[in-house]
Amino acid sequence: MAQTVRIEPDVQFIKELQASGGESLKKCYQCATCSVACPISPASNPYPRKEMIWAQWGLKDKLLSDPDIWLCHNCGGCSDLCPRGAKPADLMSAMRNMAYQKLVPAPLPIGLWMSSAKYLPMLIGIPAVLFGFIWLMVAKLNLWKNMAAFYPPLNGHGLPGDFPSGSWIPKGDIIYGKLFFGDFTIDLLFGLVFLFVVFTFYKGVKNLIAALAPQGTTLVLGKQKPWWCCLVEVVLMEILPHTKFIQCGAEPEKASRKFGHMALFFGFICLAIVTAIVAIGHWGGLVFPAIAIHTPMPLYHPVKLLAIIGTLLLLVGLTSLTARRASLDPTKQTSSFYDWYLLGVIWVVGLTGLGSMLLRLANVASLAYFVYYLHLISVFMLFAYLPWSKLGHLVYRTAALTYVRYMGRR
């Protein structure tokens, strides 16, 4: 006699899912057009049809333990062909948005704040107050000047800044370290942010893999590759060349969508390399003076040129992706706050970074320091909230792709 399975829908989860971008899920009548249309959905156990019915039933545990919500590349082809306007692509995005909140609870309700524009003042307020307080302390107490006698590297970098009485702007050449000296502000704060984000992603990936793992034991026929080999294959064969992007979506936009994502992706890589070189050059230079790097660097410096290239790639990719997002037909595919938040923050990061350099070269001190302050706020918002933002899919999708490859699925 077959065992009876009792299904207990989580009504609250359905409401949360609809609020996160899946409001049209009740329109689905399980015709399977979406699964047939998806070019990267596997022949066995295809998506997103099963995810649509799980969402309608409120099966939270099934959805949050489903690797396919991360394997979908959100091209929107399934939504274009859906005869009922159920927008399965939006639902898959909404499930990822919910997963960001559920995988790792934040020390503050960051996951909740990332779900709606009404919480944007909270997201901006934390770094704005933090860096504003530093600015206040440094300017009003002439902090670095008073610390120079106890910390010689302050003098070694052409610091400290001298703030005339009542002024918020240091005298002399525009050097952002006169206001936000790296050793005690930028490097310290973002070093802690980096450790926090890495630890959060470690917990998130651990929870994700635990959710994806089958119950009991799994029989594997043949030799199984080590997980790190699968990770290398995923990075080299799928992520770096963006192979899935050229398979997804309508024919005219495949190339442009791939171009936009690749430009943004490699722009971030360039800027990450620049950050690493500057950090190593600064801290390593305290021990090995031969490798010391001091900022600001001249425009012809190779590291500065790489930073400019990375910024331009970032802006080119953003322009392409923003134009695509703005041109979507809302009857077939919509954009959530998660989508616009990520694009908006990266826009601010890129423009304020470029603006800080140009205003420094133009010697417009008051505006240059303020734009740099905005740059720090936007960089903090991009990285400190990363595990709960749409950009978190870079880590979770990589983990899911690695896991299914390790389990023998392509």
Side-chain angles (χ1 to χ4, degrees):
M1 181 175 177
Q3 184 179 3
T4 302
V5 178
R6 182 183 178 90
I7 295 176
E8 297 182 0
D10 187 333
V11 178
Q12 182 58 35
F13 177 74
I14 296 175
K15 293 178 180 178
E16 292 176 1
L17 196 56
Q18 289 175 310
S20 296
E23 66 275 358
S24 58
L25 69 92
K26 292 296 185 180
K27 293 182 180 180
C28 174
Y29 63 175
Q30 288 294 302
C31 67
T33 299
C34 53
S35 292
V36 173
C38 180
I40 63 173
S41 179
S44 61
N45 213 19
Y47 58 83
R49 182 193 181 190
K50 64 182 185 299
E51 286 75 19
M52 295 297 289
I53 195 165
W54 291 345
Q56 290 177 326
W57 290 349
L59 303 183
K60 178 175 69 173
D61 293 338
K62 292 283 287 183
L63 288 171
L64 296 181
S65 62
D66 177 25
D68 292 334
I69 67 173
W70 301 106
L71 306 191
C72 166
H73 279 56
N74 203 228
C75 67
C78 54
S79 292
D80 289 341
L81 297 174
C82 179
R84 288 272 291 175
K87 302 178 183 177
D90 285 5
L91 182 74
M92 296 294 276
S93 292
M95 284 186 281
R96 287 191 292 273
N97 297 341
M98 289 293 296
Y100 297 135
Q101 299 182 43
K102 305 295 183 183
L103 281 171
V104 183
L108 293 172
I110 300 174
L112 175 63
W113 294 349
M114 292 294 296
S115 66
S116 173
K118 68 182 180 181
Y119 298 111
L120 191 57
M122 302 295 293
L123 297 171
I124 297 173
I126 292 174
V129 170
L130 179 62
F131 290 110
F133 177 75
I134 293 172
W135 194 338
L136 174 66
M137 293 292 291
V138 170
K140 294 309 174 185
L141 301 180
N142 250 336
L143 193 59
W144 307 141
K145 186 175 183 179
N146 293 328
M147 288 181 60
F150 305 98
Y151 192 71
L154 283 167
N155 288 318
H157 286 280
L159 301 172
D162 185 12
F163 292 80
S165 179
S167 175
W168 290 78
I169 306 299
K171 293 196 307 185
D173 295 338
I174 299 175
I175 300 176
Y176 296 119
K178 290 181 177 180
L179 184 56
F180 298 102
F181 182 57
D183 290 15
F184 300 116
T185 58
I186 308 301
D187 292 356
L188 176 61
L189 286 173
F190 285 105
L192 292 174
V193 166
F194 174 77
L195 294 176
F196 168 71
V197 169
V198 168
F199 178 69
T200 301
F201 272 130
Y202 166 76
K203 291 176 61 180
V205 170
K206 187 177 179 180
N207 291 338
L208 175 64
I209 298 302
L212 300 182
Q215 299 295 320
T217 58
T218 303
L219 175 64
V220 179
L221 300 177
K223 187 177 180 180
Q224 191 172 24
K225 290 183 180 179
W227 68 266
W228 58 267
C229 286
C230 298
L231 174 61
V232 170
E233 289 179 2
V234 165
V235 171
L236 296 181
M237 298 171 60
E238 295 193 37
I239 295 176
L240 290 179
H242 283 51
T243 51
K244 297 294 184 183
F245 283 90
I246 205 63
Q247 300 174 26
C248 295
E251 195 61 42
E253 70 166 14
K254 284 183 181 179
S256 63
R257 184 166 175 262
K258 178 181 178 180
F259 169 77
H261 278 88
M262 288 193 76
L264 192 66
F265 180 74
F266 285 104
F268 270 123
I269 289 179
C270 290
L271 295 176
I273 293 172
V274 168
T275 302
I277 291 174
V278 171
I280 293 171
H282 171 70
W283 291 102
L286 299 178
V287 181
F288 305 104
I291 67 170
I293 293 178
H294 301 298
T295 56
M297 293 174 285
L299 285 176
Y300 55 80
H301 195 287
V303 177
K304 174 66 76 172
L305 292 175
L306 183 60
I308 294 172
I309 291 171
T311 302
L312 293 178
L313 282 173
L314 209 69
L315 296 177
V316 168
L318 276 174
T319 301
S320 174
L321 295 178
T322 304
R324 176 187 178 273
R325 183 64 59 182
S327 66
L328 292 176
D329 182 352
T331 64
K332 295 181 178 180
Q333 190 176 6
T334 55
S335 299
S336 67
F337 175 68
Y338 284 90
D339 300 311
W340 290 120
Y341 173 87
L342 180 60
L343 288 173
V345 168
I346 301 176
W347 267 115
V348 178
V349 169
L351 292 177
T352 54
L354 188 61
S356 297
M357 183 188 72
L358 296 177
L359 289 167
R360 179 180 62 82
L361 295 175
N363 200 32
V364 186
S366 57
L367 191 55
Y369 283 106
F370 179 71
V371 170
Y372 187 70
Y373 166 70
L374 297 179
H375 182 65
L376 293 178
I377 292 173
S378 60
V379 171
F380 184 96
M381 292 175 65
L382 180 64
F383 290 106
Y385 310 145
L386 195 152
W388 300 277
S389 76
K390 186 180 177 181
L391 195 58
H393 79 275
L394 183 62
V395 172
Y396 293 129
R397 178 177 287 166
T398 302
L401 284 168
T402 301
Y403 180 79
V404 298
R405 183 176 286 266
Y406 175 73
M407 296 301 292
R409 173 177 152 186
R410 292 291 186 269

